[in-house]
Amino acid sequence: MTTRSYRPTRAEIAPGAIRRNVERIGVLVAPAAVCAVVKGDGYGHGIVTAASAALEGGATWLGVALAEEAFVLRDAGFTVPVLLLSEPVAAAWGDLVAGDIDVAVYSQAAIDAAQSAAASAGRVAALHLKVDTGMHRVGCAPGDAIGLAHAVHESPRSRLAGLFTHFATADDPASMYPAIQLERYRQVDDALADAGIGGYLRHAANSAGAIAVAGARFDLVRCGIACYGIAPSPALQGRVELEPALRLVSAVSHVKRLGGGEPVSYGCRFVTERETTVITVPIGYADGLPRSLGLNGGYVLVGGRRRPVVGTVTMDQLMVDAGDLPVAVGDEVVLLGTQGDDEIDANEMAAREGSIGYEIVTRLGPRVPRVTVGPN
Ligand SMILES: *Cc1c(COP(=O)(O)O)cnc(C)c1O
């Protein structure tokens, strides 16, 4: 959105961190290949930056949620395999087949649409059959998988390029559900082998599955959040070394000294206990921050210290109780990332909001410039 940039608020993106995260995931899951999932504008990091860095780190596939995202990648010049993770609407098939995009299917209608688009284009559609083993979002019932696989396999207009599924609870190491889902997936895979259908890629794991469910890595893992250096859940923190690739920073825009008993922000929901310095930072919920960050005990890093956000976050600005810290207009304020010896990561911010790190980074709005930083 922003062509000119004056406000000090920005998201610093470190492609080197993405590259190293993907390298580490690659080592962990080898010999499985890595599909770097770059949907949601590369989880807020910028789809092109994320895709380039992931490929440098050894990813050989890119995964997207929307046909639109697949074409952003093709238009940017990426020629690697791109997998669209859910069925598109019928109107998108012609472009997807022409663009050589691998596409998830789980209905006869989508297979028909893919094959007729391929026939018109004189091409063969590469299709990945998605089996719903228990997530119940998208996918075919296991009992329908063999018939659909046959429909893809037997037509000269399509190729069964993959058989895949998706976990509901792989981020919870205590959950028994991934094993149940995996067993359902294996039954379909075995039945296809019995039917003489093979040669397709097997894939099941998202980041959490790749990290925590060793039996789920198969030929390919589809990793999003871990590529960006964010653990899929606090429980999986530290299972593989990850470096956050996004640092959300701003700078102090206003400083004031307030006496005790003074309210701050809309609703006067925070009141100073004693004389203190309250600073203003030019970032708010229109940039994607949670409005309740201050009310839920959130912090920023300023002057090398962790200081509380106070009162309601407003649309464009928030306030911080700096105490007696010497602060001045222009001092750096870190909302996500490191400053000095301290760090606020996306999962920490998310936990206060009853959310997950994924939501924090993907919701950062177009008003926040993404600035690429080295070193690589
Ligand atoms: C988003 C998504 C992924 C990536 O999930 P992460 O938890 O970010 O690794 C993988 N597979 C599918 C089907 C997805 O929708």
Side-chain angles (χ1 to χ4, degrees):
M1 181 181 95
T2 39
T3 47
R4 303 184 188 210
S5 176
Y6 306 103
R7 186 173 65 148
T9 301
R10 64 195 184 276
E12 294 178 351
I13 309 299
I18 297 174
R19 175 172 54 80
R20 286 185 293 277
N21 292 330
V22 173
E23 283 169 1
R24 292 178 190 115
I25 294 163
V27 168
L28 178 74
V29 304
V34 178
C35 172
V37 178
V38 296
K39 62 191 180 187
D41 197 26
Y43 288 47
H45 295 62
I47 184 169
V48 170
T49 306
S52 304
L55 295 176
E56 277 180 38
T60 49
W61 283 73
L62 298 171
V64 294
L66 309 184
E68 288 83 344
E69 294 170 330
F71 294 116
V72 170
L73 293 172
R74 284 287 181 257
D75 292 346
F78 293 98
T79 55
V80 297
V82 172
L83 173 60
L84 175 56
L85 295 162
S86 294
E87 284 181 352
V89 297
W93 276 107
D95 288 343
L96 288 165
V97 170
D100 203 16
I101 308 297
D102 282 53
V103 185
V105 291
Y106 30 87
S107 69
Q108 188 62 52
I111 293 168
D112 292 345
Q115 290 168 346
S116 68
S120 310
R123 304 182 76 124
V124 178
L127 304 179
H128 294 232
L129 182 64
K130 183 167 197 188
V131 187
D132 178 8
T133 57
M135 166 79 175
H136 299 326
R137 180 171 63 179
V138 295
C140 68
D144 295 337
I146 307 304
L148 293 171
H150 268 290
V152 173
H153 184 69
E154 277 157 19
S155 164
R157 286 296 160 210
S158 58
R159 175 167 73 82
L160 188 64
L163 177 74
F164 79 112
T165 192
H166 190 56
F167 293 120
T169 63
D171 59 329
D172 175 6
S175 173
M176 295 291 134
Y177 204 46
I180 293 170
Q181 290 195 258
L182 210 47
E183 178 54 28
R184 292 175 183 155
Y185 177 79
R186 285 185 189 284
Q187 282 173 8
V188 172
D189 188 34
D190 289 347
L192 284 182
D194 291 345
I197 301 177
Y200 49 82
L201 286 173
R202 291 165 183 80
H203 50 106
N206 53 3
S207 296
I211 292 168
V213 189
R217 292 170 186 154
F218 298 107
D219 300 315
L220 185 70
V221 296
R222 305 182 310 268
C223 291
I225 199 73
C227 299
Y228 306 101
I230 301 169
S233 63
L236 296 184
Q237 186 89 42
R239 295 279 287 264
V240 59
E241 191 190 341
L242 298 174
E243 289 170 67
L246 184 151
R247 193 165 168 268
L248 182 63
V249 296
S250 188
V252 177
S253 61
H254 188 64
V255 180
K256 74 187 77 66
R257 196 75 183 155
L258 292 180
E262 294 292 337
V264 176
S265 196
Y266 290 124
C268 300
R269 292 166 79 179
F270 170 82
V271 179
T272 58
E273 277 178 14
R274 57 173 189 89
E275 188 181 324
T276 189
T277 299
V278 171
I279 61 174
T280 304
V281 186
I283 183 168
Y285 64 77
D287 299 300
L289 282 187
R291 177 174 175 267
S292 49
L293 187 63
L295 306 175
N296 289 342
Y299 290 93
V300 302
L301 305 177
V302 58
R305 302 286 297 277
R306 180 175 276 259
R307 301 302 312 171
V309 178
V310 291
T312 308
V313 170
T314 75
M315 191 181 294
D316 315 297
Q317 307 183 75
L318 59 78
M319 276 67 83
V320 173
D321 184 354
D324 296 325
L325 207 63
V327 279
V329 168
D331 285 358
E332 182 189 72
V333 177
V334 173
L335 295 112
L336 289 175
T338 54
Q339 187 188 64
D341 300 332
D342 208 346
E343 175 172 11
I344 296 174
D345 81 2
N347 279 324
E348 180 195 324
M349 184 184 284
R352 299 184 201 290
E353 304 296 323
S355 182
I356 54 176
Y358 296 71
E359 187 181 4
I360 298 294
V361 290
T362 55
R363 278 204 330 200
L364 288 178
R367 223 168 62 157
V368 179
R370 271 57 167 186
V371 181
T372 300
V373 294
N376 285 324

